[in-house]
Amino acid sequence: MREAAMNSSTALSLFVIFLFCAAVQSYGRWSVTYTSKTVCAIKGSTVNFYCTYSHPQSEDGITIKVEKTFWFTKTNKDPVDLETQEEYAGRVQYQRTRNRCTLIIEDLKESDSALYKCRFTTNKIGGSYTGEPGVQLYVSDPHLTVKKSYSSQLKCSSLCLLPPRSTYVWYKNGKTVNTVTSIYSGQFSYRDSMACAVKGHEDFPSPLFCLGNYCYNVTYSKGRICAFKGSSVTIGSFYSGFYAISAFWFSPGRSEEWRDPLNPEDLKEDSQYAGRVDVTDTTRQSNLTITNLRESDSAEYRFMFQTDRFEWGSDLHGTTLTVTALQVQVTKTSALQDTTYAELKCHSSCTPAVYHYIWFKNGQNLGHTESTYKGPINTTDKISCAVSEHEEYRAPEVYAPVSPSVSVNSSGDIFEGKPATLRCRSQANPPAYYTWYKKTKTSALQRVSEDSQLFLSSIQLSDSGDYCCVAKNQLGESQSKYLNVDVKYAPKRADVSQSHREVVEGISVNLTCSSDGNPAPNYSWSEDSGIYHCQAENQYGLISSSSVHINVEYSPRLPSVSVNPPGEIAVGGSVNLTCSSVANPVATYTWYKESTTSPAASGQMFTIEAVRREHGGNYYCQARNSRGHHNSTLYLIVVLSSATPAVAGSITFIFLFGLFFSAFIIFRKKMASRQTSETRERPGVIWTNHSGVSLPLH
C-alpha cells in the first residue's frame, strides 16, 4: 500500500505527499473506511488527506443532508475542527466536493504527528459520524540508508515518503561529490565511507556506508543534543584513521569569523568560546565539552582529522546542539468568585516527555511533578518550574504585572504645540499589554490608548490632566500612579477689571489684571494721563491688556468769577458775568442775586442788557454736578455817569493842576489866596471768594 502511495505522489509536480482515504459508499449505513493506517512524511513537506463518506438517504422519515465535514485530532467534549486550532493556523485548508473532504496540511512539523480522523454531521439529531480508527501520521527525518545496488552503484533509500522530485547530496569521506540523484555511480575504494542526504535536509544524513571491513569514518554519539542554558554538554565522536597528525572540532556557523571561510578553524581559538571549551582525546575518540552554555551556542559541531596521507572532509553533518531555557506557559486562566485559577505548562523546545518536573511558588517547592500545574494564583505570586535533577536551571518565573511606572519623554517642559510621549513600563511574565486612561472631571477613567506609549504629536491645552496606565496579562493586572500632564503656554490674554464702576475722588480703587498663562504670569503696570495698561508675562511670552481709563469724579472746585467790562458799570450799558469751575462730571452753573431765591440766570455766562441802577449789588455763582456744588460771590457797582474811571481821574488831575498853578500866580502877586478844592467821591470794586477772603481790586 505504501508503494502504491509513492507511485501516485511521484506523478505530481508539487512538493506534496498524498494520503488516500477511500470510503465505501453504502446508502444503507453510515460509514467511512481508511485504506492505510499509518503514513510517514518528512518535516517541511505537504500532506493531503482524502475522506469520502456515505450515509442513508433517509432515516426516521427525514431526508438526510450533510451540513459539515471536517478533520480533527483532538476532542473537547466534541471533536475540535483543525481549522480552529491555533497550532495549524495558516497551514490547513479543506477542499470539499460531493461525498469527499480533502485535508491539506502544509509545512509539516514534528508536532503534527497525530491520529487524524474525518467526521461529518447532518441535519438529523444524532446524525454525525466519525471514521475509525483514523490515520496515524508520523513526521520525522527521512531515515535514509545507503545500499549497494550493483557492483559500481550505490542507492540512497528512505523508509519515509519523500517529496516528489527530491534531489540528493552525496558525501565521500566527509566531502560532497557531484551527484544529485538517488543513485551514485562514481568511483570509490574499499576504504571510502559513503553517505547521502535529501537536498534541504542535510542535517539528516544516512549512516556511513563502508565498502570494506575497515574504512575511514567519523561518527557521532548523538546527532542531536538539547541542553539547558547555563549547563555543560559533552559531544562525542569516534573516528578511524591511522596516525592522525591533527584533529579538532569546529562549528560551520562560525565560518564568517575564519581567516578563510573555506578552511575550518579550531573551536578552541574562537573568542566566543574562550574559557568554555575543553577537548579530551583518547584512542580514536574525541570529546568536546562546552561549559556555561549560552543560547548563542545553539549550532552544529563537527570533528575532522588529518593523517599524513588522508584528510577527513568538513561537509558532512555532525551533531546539532540546541541550548534552551525552560519556559512556563500560561495555557488557561479562570476566575471563581474572588480567586483566579491558572493552568500552567512547563516546557522547552526539546524537553523529553519522560522527564519529571518540580514546580515552585514564591520559591517554595509545591511537590508537583507533572508537566502541567493547575491551581489558584494571586497577583503577587511568582511561579516557576524545573526538570527533576536539574533544579538549578529553573524556568523564568511567571507573575502578574507589578505596579507600572509611568514617565513622560519631552524635550524640557511640555509646551503647547510640541510633541510628547507618555511611557508605561511594568515587570511581568508573560509580557504585559497596556491601556492608557485619562481622568475626567467626574473622576471617571476614559480610555485613550492601548499601547505602552501614548504619543501626543501636537499637545493641546485640552490634553492637560491626570493619566494612568493599566498593565495586564493572563495572570492579573495593575494600575500605575497618576501622571500629571501640565501643558505650559504663554499668556494668551490680559484682562483688567476695577473694583468700582464709578470712581469718586477720595475713595480707593483696585485694578486687577488676570491672565491664563502657565506657569502663572507676572504682572506689571504702566500709566499715562489716567490711561492704564497691564502686561502679563512668563518665560514663554507676554501680552498686554487693552487700555483702561480711570474716570475720577469729583465735585466742582471753587468757581472763578469775572466781570466784563471790569469796574463800574454805567446805567444803560451791558455787562457779562462769567463763572468757571473744574469738575467731573462737567458742572452746570446757576446765578443768584443776593436776597432772592429764584435763579437770576443759568449757564456759565450771565449777560445783563440795559443795566439799571437796581442791578447793582452782590451776585453769586453756583457750580453743581452729581458729586456736589460750590459757590463764588462778586459785587456789581452801577453808576449814573458813563465816564470811565480813567477819564474821571484825568479831568481831576487837570483841574487840580490848574488850581495849583493859579494859586502859585496869586501868591506871587501877593494876592489874597483863594483856594478852591473840589472833591468828587469815586467808589471801589471788591471780589469776594467762597472762603470769604476779600481781594480788593484797584
Side-chain angles (χ1 to χ4, degrees), residues 607-634:
T607 302
I608 303 175
E609 301 284 352
V611 174
R612 300 190 300 275
R613 190 167 183 86
E614 58 266 24
H615 284 147
N618 285 322
Y619 288 83
Y620 70 89
C621 165
Q622 184 180 82
R624 177 184 291 274
N625 64 10
S626 58
R627 299 302 172 188
H629 66 275
H630 220 142
N631 298 341
S632 284
T633 304
L634 63 80

Side-chain angles (χ1 to χ4, degrees), residues 172-448:
K172 182 167 72 173
N173 299 324
K175 300 177 182 178
T176 56
V177 293
N178 191 21
T179 299
V180 296
T181 64
S182 61
I183 302 298
Y184 176 75
S185 57
Q187 295 181 350
F188 51 89
S189 69
Y190 71 97
R191 287 198 172 183
D192 290 334
S193 293
M194 303 297 297
C196 67
V198 176
K199 185 71 174 178
H201 298 274
E202 290 87 348
D203 52 341
F204 293 100
S206 69
L208 290 173
F209 177 76
C210 188
L211 296 175
N213 294 328
Y214 176 84
C215 60
Y216 299 112
N217 65 75
V218 172
T219 59
Y220 298 91
S221 57
K222 293 182 180 179
R224 275 172 168 69
I225 297 178
C226 188
F228 294 112
K229 180 181 178 182
S231 64
S232 300
V233 69
T234 297
I235 304 172
S237 70
F238 305 90
Y239 63 98
S240 297
F242 295 107
Y243 309 112
I245 59 177
S246 70
F248 62 91
W249 288 84
F250 69 96
S251 176
R254 301 288 294 169
S255 60
E256 293 183 358
E257 305 298 323
W258 301 340
R259 288 181 290 272
D260 181 356
L262 299 179
N263 292 317
E265 296 182 4
D266 193 339
L267 197 67
K268 292 189 293 185
E269 305 299 325
D270 194 321
S271 59
Q272 177 176 304
Y273 296 87
R276 299 190 299 118
V277 167
D278 181 60
V279 176
T280 303
D281 292 318
T282 59
T283 303
R284 298 181 182 178
Q285 183 176 351
S286 181
N287 293 326
L288 168 67
T289 300
I290 307 175
T291 61
N292 191 22
L293 285 171
R294 307 169 183 171
E295 291 187 74
S296 60
D297 294 336
S298 296
E300 180 193 351
Y301 296 87
R302 299 176 186 173
F303 174 79
M304 65 181 299
F305 70 93
Q306 181 180 0
T307 68
D308 55 353
R309 297 181 181 180
F310 174 81
E311 181 181 57
W312 182 260
S314 60
D315 300 328
L316 186 62
H317 190 273
T319 295
T320 298
L321 171 64
T322 301
V323 180
T324 183
L326 278 176
Q327 300 291 331
V328 177
Q329 179 183 1
V330 181
T331 58
K332 186 187 299 183
T333 58
S334 60
L336 181 61
Q337 295 180 349
D338 295 332
T339 304
T340 299
Y341 292 86
E343 181 177 320
L344 309 176
K345 182 180 180 181
C346 187
H347 73 102
S348 75
S349 58
C350 55
T351 305
V354 296
Y355 277 12
H356 293 290
Y357 297 85
I358 305 173
W359 285 90
F360 302 89
K361 178 186 281 188
N362 302 323
Q364 300 298 315
N365 191 331
L366 292 174
H368 188 75
T369 60
E370 301 297 325
S371 62
T372 300
Y373 168 78
K374 299 179 182 179
I377 184 171
N378 296 320
T379 56
T380 57
D381 288 337
K382 294 185 177 182
I383 298 181
S384 180
C385 68
V387 174
S388 59
E389 300 180 2
H390 295 280
E391 185 176 336
E392 66 274 23
Y393 306 119
R394 298 184 187 182
E397 295 175 316
V398 293
Y399 52 93
V402 298
S403 297
S405 63
V406 288
S407 61
V408 58
N409 180 24
S410 177
S411 54
D413 290 334
I414 302 176
F415 187 68
E416 183 183 20
K418 299 294 184 180
T421 302
L422 308 182
R423 288 190 171 91
C424 183
R425 295 183 178 88
S426 176
Q427 294 182 349
N429 189 24
Y433 56 93
Y434 301 89
T435 305
W436 279 96
Y437 296 90
K438 182 182 180 183
K439 184 185 289 187
T440 64
K441 293 181 179 179
T442 60
S443 296
L445 293 180
Q446 178 185 1
R447 184 170 58 187
V448 293

Side-chain angles (χ1 to χ4, degrees), residues 502-507 509 530 532 549-555 557 583-585 627:
E502 295 182 352
V503 181
V504 180
E505 184 181 31
I507 69 171
V509 177
Y532 292 82
H549 177 251
I550 301 300
N551 183 29
V552 181
E553 296 185 359
Y554 52 91
S555 61
R557 300 291 189 260
N584 188 24
R627 299 302 172 188

Side-chain angles (χ1 to χ4, degrees), residues 507-562:
I507 69 171
S508 296
V509 177
N510 294 326
L511 298 182
T512 303
C513 188
S514 60
S515 184
D516 61 345
N518 187 19
N522 296 316
Y523 299 95
S524 59
W525 293 88
S526 61
E527 185 268 339
D528 182 17
S529 301
I531 306 298
Y532 292 82
H533 292 87
C534 162
Q535 183 171 277
E537 180 179 10
N538 63 16
Q539 59 262 46
Y540 301 109
L542 59 86
I543 191 170
S544 294
S545 70
S546 57
S547 60
V548 176
H549 177 251
I550 301 300
N551 183 29
V552 181
E553 296 185 359
Y554 52 91
S555 61
R557 300 291 189 260
L558 179 65
S560 171
V561 292
S562 62

